Amino acid sequence: MSVQMTEMANTHDIAKTAGTAGAPNAARAASAANAINAAPLFEAFSMPESPVDESMRRALFVQLTAQLLRSAFAGRALSITFLAGAGTRWKASLLKARENPGAWPAGEVAASFPLDAPRGLFPVPDFIHGEKGEGRIAMAAYAVEAVRAIKEHILVVRGWEREIEAQVLNPLEMPHSRIAFFTQKEGPDGQVSGHGDAALQCMSLWQNARYVVTNFAGDANSPLTVELALRAFAAFDAKGIEIGVIIPVAMTEKPAYPVFLEENGLPAGFWHEKLAGSKPNAAPTSLTNVGIRVYRADWLRRALLLLKERYYVEGQGPDAGWHIPGNDPSKRECALDNVDNLLAEMRLARVMPVSLPRELTPLKSLGEYPAFVQAVKEVQREWREIRRE
């Protein structure tokens, strides 16, 4: 059988087990109606019963280290960091800072920051190289630092490679041989079509990996959270439990990206404002995605191909592009959230409640600058203390 025919056969096998990608089907959503207090199912090992705090995270790290759960596949892990965007809110805040720099945090810096530059290049205090944050480093360095222990990296960009090398990679002493820049092509409507679409486009760069870790420049990512999730995947592998994605989550009163659980603790679905129509008809939990995902590469590949087969119209006509149910129809995007929902339908998704709320402190407008700086300071302090032990 040819490679193409084999892939189609695999894709159709998946299709037999999955419903729509936009949201879980009604029967499974109904079973989640009483799951608001359900604990996430996590068969690889027993999660500590104590509340998630730094001591719990440290204890879990020690436990997994003692069990040598730094996966045999660790050398085949790869990361994708999405570093291309600026965002409407970000540009709007820069323009306001130019009018009145003194009224905004870091307003003087913002007043001279290029409007078309990636948001991830904005300089912030550097707590990676010093406890007091006396120097400055591009905000994207925190996302790259979180996955630095992984050997191979893809940076999804839209130009600015030289500046990214100088302001992100060089300060982190990242060998350029470990980095692949990838420019996402625009869709039929002349716009880029979401991070799921970007992952699909660069598939040839990651499909031979075992694990794919994804994150976003501008988030207060924790290297410890990435390490715990990778070790957890090693535990699932060691037990022969088939899963497609682990999503670290935090507990918060107002979850920005809420997780919906069935009564048995399996994810019923995930929600994002750009996927407003994908909200499951089920009780949400107080758990939220913090922007980090760890996929098994083969399942990420299969899910993306199935989404494309179902919901992508080829060509250049008015209907060309993505049409995923539940997504904003004006955007015509494929998001990683769609992949997560599809894997949840297939019972291949797990959420891991090990993150702290500070990890969900993105810098998307200048008004969020103080909170982001405080968050990355605390994240780096915790990681520094772990490494000292």
Side-chain angles (χ1 to χ4, degrees), residues 39-70:
L41 179 67
F42 209 76
E43 311 97 316
F45 50 80
S46 297
M47 294 289 294
E49 295 183 1
S50 59
V52 178
D53 56 20
E54 290 189 11
S55 61
M56 175 272 201
R57 285 157 58 84
R58 187 177 295 110
L60 184 58
F61 180 79
V62 171
Q63 172 190 331
L64 297 182
T65 301
Q67 295 176 12
L68 300 178
L69 285 175
R70 186 65 169 96

Side-chain angles (χ1 to χ4, degrees), residues 69-121:
L69 285 175
R70 186 65 169 96
S71 170
F73 297 104
R76 293 173 56 196
L78 182 149
S79 71
I80 304 175
T81 298
F82 297 92
L83 211 157
T88 303
R89 286 173 54 201
W90 175 253
K91 290 183 178 180
S93 67
L94 289 183
L95 288 171
K96 291 181 179 178
R98 291 185 176 188
E99 296 173 0
N100 187 4
W104 289 84
E108 296 294 337
V109 177
S112 60
F113 189 77
L115 286 175
D116 58 340
R119 177 166 46 98
L121 288 179

Side-chain angles (χ1 to χ4, degrees), residues 209-223:
R210 175 66 176 183
Y211 307 123
V212 176
V213 181
T214 64
N215 67 348
F216 299 87
D219 287 351
N221 289 161
S222 166

Side-chain angles (χ1 to χ4, degrees), residues 71 73 76-78 206-214 229-230 233-234 236-238 240-246 293-304 339-340 343 348:
S71 170
F73 297 104
R76 293 173 56 196
L78 182 149
W206 56 258
Q207 63 183 353
N208 293 323
R210 175 66 176 183
Y211 307 123
V212 176
V213 181
T214 64
L230 278 170
F233 228 129
F236 276 97
D237 278 348
I241 302 172
E242 191 82 359
I243 62 169
V245 63
I246 290 178
R293 298 163 168 89
V294 182
Y295 295 100
R296 219 176 73 185
D298 54 347
W299 279 113
L300 176 59
R301 180 173 183 268
R302 294 174 191 177
L304 284 168
V339 174
D340 302 338
L343 292 173
L348 292 170

